[in-house]
């Protein structure tokens, strides 16, 4: 236990952020949900009672029972096993999509903010236009040309994320580069690479982590939506959105087919949102204003 | 006022032009040949080339671009490959159903958002506040298409209160899709209304109203809520655009007709002109709605005009 009288005057930003994070009840709940989901994703093949794609017509459309806790689908596949494997797929899709969007956005945002001038102007007008499209529309437009597949979903969701990151990074770079220490670094002859990596990038890390966390939730939602519309994961992949799409045909007879995959989507988005909100308050109070 | 209006309209022209450009470029920059995409991969080269010629895809890109803009300005969005009809006609037929759904969704979002937000703010720190904010957190985390399925399961399959899909008459068949579509926006509006009402309740004029001996209900609804609604109006534009885009998936869930259903069907058969047309029209609608909301905001809050 920490001593309340202890002075926090010399704490590092990381220590302060961790202390704030531990104080936030929602962040703790969010972190607990996310830890559980990540563990499930890692050990899904070990703990799944059945093969998620093995067809067994003898047990098709059975309700939840001791043998199949979440019931079975029209092909007799165990929903629990499919939901557990789906955790793997959805988290991977969310993280890779945000990885694509975040890295492209980081590079373009850094370049626009650091170089400035006409380049910045041109990039930002393009980004304004991209931002005037709702994300799902941009993703659908890209999916229309790339064709349906889970890889293409990651690309489409990633690209539709780029404008958000460009705006965030560029704004932070613009204010960071006005700081005295950047002027000083330039004065003593530091190269652009050193200035960007050592003096500008550290300013971006906090808001970048916050936005990235929250965007993983949006990416999971958007990719599940695309799969639900039949444009993402294809059968028999146990992706949550695709499972809901299969389950809707049996809505009159098999409520379990549409209930559990949806609950998992909601739980993961809820977990990430809670954690993201806590991280925002801890790392970047300016963003929460 | 006139100058402000003109400035805002002029400022949206480059964005509109940008939307046309992005719709045009995405189709040409991404890998794959639109002609092969439309006809299928087993098509002969001669047939693909004939279609490329017909669509003008063999012309230099700048020529295609200028022609595309010219056609878009004349509302000529090309012909659907699968339905063999002009795209603008197809879209025009579907717009009323989508706008009807989006308006119903907005109404639902506003009603639910306002009630939850005001209840939370006026019962700050009590269980009603916690409950309202918990509902709002669930609303933000719940996929709209899943909520739609659950509403069908509960109200159509189990209780049999509402027809199962987009059949049956009148307002009743609009209720479930509107709730499914508007719930996420309601959750966001509720959070905004709560913080906005709490902010306004701290103002001096509210203290004066209370000191005059006005009933708390009058203070909240007549004095506080009116000013607390200003930020809500700004968000409404953004939310309405989201609802228009979100109707793509909700129409699909409830088997309703509309621009979203047209788009999904077009993507499934790779009908590129329809996809381009729908994205273009929705993008333009999004900008126009935001412009209108911006202007109404100016009317509501005179400070904006002079800043």
């Amino acid at each position: 236990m920490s001593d309340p009288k202890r002075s926090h005057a010399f704490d590092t930003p990381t220590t302060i952020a961790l202390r704030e994070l531990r104080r936030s009840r929602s962040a703790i709940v969010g972190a607990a949900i996310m830890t559980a989901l990540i563990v499930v994703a890692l050990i899904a093949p070990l703990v799944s009672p059945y093969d998620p794609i093995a067809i067994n017509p003898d047990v098709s459309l059975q309700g939840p029972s001791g043998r199949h806790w979440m019931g079975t689908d029209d092909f007799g596949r165990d929903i629990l096993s499919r939901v557990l494997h789906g955790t793997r797929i959805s988290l991977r899709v969310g993280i890779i999509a945000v990885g694509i969007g975040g890295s492209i956005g980081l590079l373009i945002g850094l370049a626009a903010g650091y170089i400035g001038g006409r380049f910045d102007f041109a990039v930002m007008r393009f980004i304004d236009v991209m931002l005037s499209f709702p994300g799902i529309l941009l993703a659908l437009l890209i999916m229309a040309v790339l064709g349906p597949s889970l890889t293409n979903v990651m690309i489409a969701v990633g690209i539709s994320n780029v404008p958000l990151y460009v705006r965030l990074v560029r704004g932070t770079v613009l204010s960071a580069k006005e700081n005295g220490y950047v002027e000083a670094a330039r004065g003593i002859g530091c190269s652009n690479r050193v200035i960007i990596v050592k003096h500008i990038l550290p300013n971006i890390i906090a808001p970048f982590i916050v936005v990235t966390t929250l965007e993983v939730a949006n990416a999971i939602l958007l990719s599940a939506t695309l799969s639900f519309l039949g444009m993402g994961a294809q059968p028999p992949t146990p992706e949550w959105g695709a499972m809901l799409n299969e389950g809707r045909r049996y809505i009159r007879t098999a409520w379990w087919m549409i209930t559990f995959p949806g609950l998992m989507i909601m739980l993961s988005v809820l977990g990430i949102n809670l954690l993201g909100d806590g991280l925002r308050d801890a790392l970047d109070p300016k963003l929460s204003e | 006022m006139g100058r402000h209006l003109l400035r805002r309209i002029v400022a949206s022209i480059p964005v509109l032009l940008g939307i046309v450009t992005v719709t045009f470029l995405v189709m040409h920059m991404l890998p794959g040949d639109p002609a092969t995409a439309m006809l299928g991969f087993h098509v002969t080269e001669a047939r693909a080339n004939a279609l490329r010629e017909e669509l003008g895809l063999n012309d230099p890109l700048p020529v295609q671009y200028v022609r595309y803009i010219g056609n878009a300005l004349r509302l000529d969005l090309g012909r659907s490959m699968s339905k063999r009809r002009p795209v603008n006609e197809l879209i025009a037929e579907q717009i009323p159903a989508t706008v009807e759904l989006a308006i119903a969704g907005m109404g639902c979002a506003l009603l639910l958002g306002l009630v939850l937000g005001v209840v939370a703010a006026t019962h700050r720190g009590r269980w009603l506040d916690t409950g309202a904010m918990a509902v709002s957190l669930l609303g933000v985390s719940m996929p709209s298409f899943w909520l739609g399925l659950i509403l069908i399961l509960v109200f159509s399959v189990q209780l049999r209160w509402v027809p199962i899909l987009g059949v049956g008459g009148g307002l009743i068949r609009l209720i479930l899709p509107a709730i499914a579509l508007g719930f996420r926006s309601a959750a966001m509006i509720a959070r905004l209304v709560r913080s906005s009402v709490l902010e306004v309740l701290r103002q001096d004029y509210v203290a004066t109203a209370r000191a005059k001996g006005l009933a708390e209900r009058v203070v909240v609804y007549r004095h506080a809520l009116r000013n607390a609604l200003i930020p809500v109006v700004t968000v409404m534009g953004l939310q309405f655009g989201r609802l228009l885009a979100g109707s793509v998936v909700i129409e699909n869930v409830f088997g309703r007709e509309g621009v979203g259903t047209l788009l999904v069907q077009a993507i499934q058969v790779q009908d590129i002109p329809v996809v381009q047309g729908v994205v273009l029209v929705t993008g333009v609608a999004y900008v126009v709605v935001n412009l209108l909301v911006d202007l109404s905001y100016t009317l509501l809050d005179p400070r904006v005009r002079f800043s």
Side-chain angles (χ1 to χ4, degrees):
Chain A
M1 222 151 133
S2 62
D3 176 7
K5 287 179 194 156
R6 194 174 75 89
S7 164
H8 295 304
F10 300 105
D11 286 350
T12 64
T14 317
T15 322
I16 298 168
L18 279 175
R19 191 174 55 237
E20 289 293 320
L21 208 57
R22 273 199 298 268
R23 269 192 207 148
S24 156
R25 208 188 305 164
S26 67
I28 292 171
V29 176
I33 295 174
M34 286 322 294
T35 311
L37 287 174
I38 290 168
V39 170
V40 165
L42 290 175
I43 61 167
L46 301 175
V47 293
S48 294
Y50 298 90
D51 179 344
I53 54 172
I55 294 174
N56 185 1
D58 294 342
V59 293
S60 69
L61 297 176
Q62 288 192 356
S65 65
R67 285 172 67 88
H68 299 282
W69 291 2
M70 291 184 182
T72 60
D73 67 7
D74 47 329
F75 290 103
R77 296 174 296 205
D78 180 55
I79 305 259
L80 172 64
S81 306
R82 288 177 69 70
V83 158
L84 292 177
H85 277 82
T87 314
R88 224 166 211 227
I89 296 171
S90 290
L91 288 188
R92 196 181 65 207
V93 170
I95 291 167
I96 293 179
V98 168
I100 293 172
S103 44
I104 298 176
L106 180 68
L107 285 178
I108 299 178
L110 265 179
Y114 196 73
I115 297 170
R118 281 185 195 166
F119 178 72
D120 177 42
F121 183 80
V123 167
M124 289 322 290
R125 292 300 72 76
F126 183 70
I127 293 301
D128 280 348
V129 172
M130 297 266 282
L131 280 168
S132 65
F133 280 103
I136 186 167
L137 219 57
L138 204 57
L140 280 171
L141 186 65
I142 299 167
M143 289 306 294
V145 174
L146 291 181
S149 88
L150 205 53
T151 312
N152 291 345
V153 164
M154 294 183 216
I155 297 172
V157 175
I159 293 177
S160 65
N161 243 323
V162 168
L164 180 81
Y165 281 104
V166 173
R167 205 170 56 164
L168 171 82
V169 173
R170 181 231 179 214
T172 320
V173 172
L174 279 184
S175 66
K177 95 178 169 176
E178 297 305 319
N179 284 326
Y181 55 79
V182 173
E183 279 297 309
R186 199 170 284 133
I188 59 168
C190 287
S191 66
N192 282 336
R193 197 174 66 89
V194 170
I195 294 175
I196 289 175
V197 173
K198 280 203 162 170
H199 302 290
I200 290 184
L201 267 182
N203 289 287
I204 298 168
I205 290 171
F208 196 79
I209 290 175
V210 173
V211 170
T212 300
T213 312
L214 289 167
E215 278 312 301
V216 171
N218 283 334
I220 289 177
L221 262 182
L222 187 52
S223 46
T225 307
L226 292 174
S227 290
F228 177 75
L229 291 172
M231 286 163 209
Q234 299 298 307
T237 313
E239 199 271 348
W240 295 333
M243 287 172 73
L244 287 172
N245 190 24
E246 289 164 25
R248 64 202 284 203
R249 288 197 297 270
Y250 301 94
I251 198 164
R252 288 170 191 270
T253 48
W255 58 267
W256 51 91
M257 278 182 76
I258 58 151
T259 306
F260 298 111
L263 272 177
M264 290 302 283
I265 302 176
M266 192 176 82
L267 191 67
S268 51
V269 174
L270 182 71
I272 298 170
N273 278 339
L274 287 172
L275 180 63
D277 283 351
L279 276 173
R280 183 184 56 199
D281 296 341
L283 289 175
D284 195 5
K286 270 182 289 179
L287 273 177
S288 58
E289 276 165 16
Chain B
M1 181 68 196
R3 272 183 59 194
H4 177 76
L5 191 100
L6 197 68
R7 212 170 39 220
R8 280 296 287 116
I9 292 172
V10 170
S12 27
I13 292 174
V15 180
L16 291 172
L17 192 66
I19 289 177
V20 181
T21 311
V22 168
T23 328
F24 173 80
L25 281 181
V26 165
M27 291 297 168
H28 287 81
M29 275 165 62
L30 290 171
D33 167 33
T36 324
M38 283 179 207
L39 295 169
F41 287 101
H42 302 296
V43 72
T44 60
E45 182 51 37
R47 180 113 193 270
N49 202 41
L51 181 65
R52 262 181 239 125
E53 199 60 46
E54 186 193 325
L55 297 175
L57 294 172
N58 286 338
D59 295 336
L61 210 58
V63 174
Q64 291 186 45
Y65 177 58
V66 171
R67 188 169 53 224
Y68 184 73
I69 292 184
N71 288 343
L73 282 176
R74 290 198 308 274
L75 297 180
D76 175 5
L77 301 173
R79 282 179 78 80
S80 157
M81 302 307 296
S82 59
K83 300 194 170 164
R84 310 211 169 272
R85 286 180 56 202
V87 173
N88 51 6
E89 264 181 42
L90 288 170
I91 296 177
E93 278 170 16
Q94 302 299 335
I95 282 178
T98 299
V99 171
E100 179 188 68
L101 178 61
I103 290 174
M106 191 76 234
C108 186
L110 270 179
L111 189 72
L112 208 62
L114 279 176
V115 170
L116 281 175
V118 171
V119 164
T122 49
H123 296 79
R124 192 186 183 184
R126 280 181 270 170
W127 68 269
L128 265 175
D129 181 19
T130 316
M133 285 304 101
V135 171
S136 137
L137 189 62
L138 281 185
V140 177
S141 310
M142 201 184 277
S144 62
F145 58 92
W146 184 59
L147 177 62
L149 291 175
I150 295 296
L151 290 172
I152 292 176
L153 182 67
V154 175
F155 294 101
S156 301
V157 177
Q158 302 292 333
L159 300 171
R160 294 169 194 267
W161 287 357
V162 186
I164 192 157
L165 287 177
V167 287
L171 261 180
I172 189 108
R173 77 190 167 87
L174 202 56
I175 292 176
L176 296 188
I179 296 174
L181 182 63
F183 198 58
R184 197 174 155 87
S185 296
M188 292 177 183
I189 291 175
R191 286 176 167 203
L192 188 67
V193 169
R194 179 184 181 271
S195 61
S196 186
V197 169
L198 284 176
E199 177 78 39
V200 173
L201 284 178
R202 278 199 292 265
Q203 304 287 322
D204 289 344
Y205 74 90
V206 173
T208 311
R210 279 186 180 137
K212 282 196 303 188
L214 290 179
E216 188 62 18
R217 192 145 36 105
V218 179
V219 174
V220 171
Y221 290 97
R222 196 170 298 166
H223 293 266
L225 194 57
R226 196 178 285 183
N227 281 322
L229 280 183
I230 293 176
V232 178
V233 177
T234 331
V235 183
M236 266 175 61
L238 201 65
Q239 293 300 330
F240 192 75
R242 275 179 179 212
L243 293 179
L244 270 180
S247 64
V248 172
V249 63
I250 294 302
E251 283 171 7
N252 188 280
V253 172
F254 288 89
R256 286 175 58 89
E257 289 206 322
V259 179
T261 302
L262 182 70
L263 176 63
V264 173
Q265 285 169 353
I267 292 176
Q268 278 159 355
V269 296
Q270 298 260 342
D271 194 340
I272 304 293
V274 175
V275 177
Q276 273 182 316
V278 171
V279 172
L280 184 63
V281 168
T282 317
V284 170
Y286 196 67
V287 172
V288 171
V289 167
N290 272 310
L291 177 67
L292 290 176
V293 170
D294 240 28
L295 296 177
S296 69
Y297 189 53
T298 321
L299 291 175
L300 269 176
D301 189 350
R303 284 170 300 182
V304 179
R305 256 176 276 165
F306 305 108
S307 63

